[in-house]
Amino acid sequence: MRRAVLAKSLLGAILAGSACAAGAQAVSSLKNHNASAPVDFAADRIELQDRADRAVLTGNVEVKQGSMTLRASRVTVAYSSAGQTEVTRLDATGGVTLTSATETARAQFGIYDLRSRLVTLIGGVVLSRGGKGETRGNRLVLNMNTGFATLDGGSVGGSGGGRVTGRFTPPPRAAAPGNN
């Protein structure tokens, strides 16, 4: 009984401190992200490929929507031009960094599907929460509808073998009376 309580307490601390564990989920600060907010961007260069309904942003790309910022070397913006132009998806490559008010995630590749409100980061993912912990894996899926994040340890290409790793720092405890 005592071991079960200890195990549950430890699992709770890991999830709270490091955001995700293999097969587990934790709530993200992007749960209430406004996916209908305007999307602002800045880049060194933009190439419009109007027939393909996309734009390619390159060089120090920064894309902001509400409190979320995406930075990368290159971002391809897919849009629908039926009627009013609607951005549907962002594909980012090269030093991808996604930040919110309390979290920072880094990866090789990133996909933001604005319709489904899913952000997927792939390749060497490092997720940190304001100095309270860090978790590493290979694929992070962030559901902005629910606020849940799932981090997998598999390798790129799905050949498995990877693990989710992390570190958290427990909060300091007050010393018990008589234990100086």
Side-chain angles (χ1 to χ4, degrees):
M1 172 82 170
R2 193 170 188 193
R3 279 190 176 161
V5 171
L6 179 61
K8 286 181 184 178
S9 296
L10 181 58
L11 180 59
I14 289 170
L15 292 177
S18 63
C20 298
Q25 297 182 341
V27 177
S28 166
S29 67
L30 291 173
K31 177 180 180 185
N32 297 316
H33 175 73
N34 181 3
S36 299
V39 176
D40 298 316
F41 68 88
D44 293 341
R45 182 172 191 269
I46 182 170
E47 177 183 313
L48 293 173
Q49 300 174 355
D50 213 27
R51 289 188 181 180
D53 286 343
R54 71 179 170 215
V56 180
L57 308 169
T58 55
N60 301 307
V61 180
E62 182 175 277
V63 179
K64 289 186 176 189
Q65 185 182 42
S67 63
M68 182 175 72
T69 302
L70 174 72
R71 290 182 180 85
S73 303
R74 175 185 171 109
V75 174
T76 301
V77 180
Y79 56 88
S80 166
S81 59
Q84 184 178 350
T85 300
E86 174 191 3
V87 173
T88 57
R89 180 176 159 140
L90 303 173
D91 292 327
T93 60
V96 176
T97 302
L98 180 71
T99 57
S100 70
T102 60
E103 299 162 326
T104 300
R106 290 181 174 75
Q108 295 172 347
F109 308 100
I111 302 164
Y112 176 21
D113 187 325
L114 280 84
R115 289 183 174 159
S116 65
R117 295 181 45 132
L118 292 176
V119 174
T120 305
L121 298 177
I122 303 168
V125 176
V126 178
L127 176 63
S128 58
R129 273 198 163 163
K132 295 181 181 174
E134 181 177 280
T135 308
R136 296 173 181 267
N138 194 57
R139 185 180 73 138
L140 172 69
V141 178
L142 180 63
N143 184 328
M144 291 188 293
N145 296 307
T146 63
F148 283 113
T150 304
L151 186 59
D152 298 320
S155 60
V156 174
S159 59
R163 294 177 52 92
V164 175
T165 61
R167 173 177 285 222
F168 68 95
T169 304
R173 287 186 164 192
N179 289 350
N180 292 350

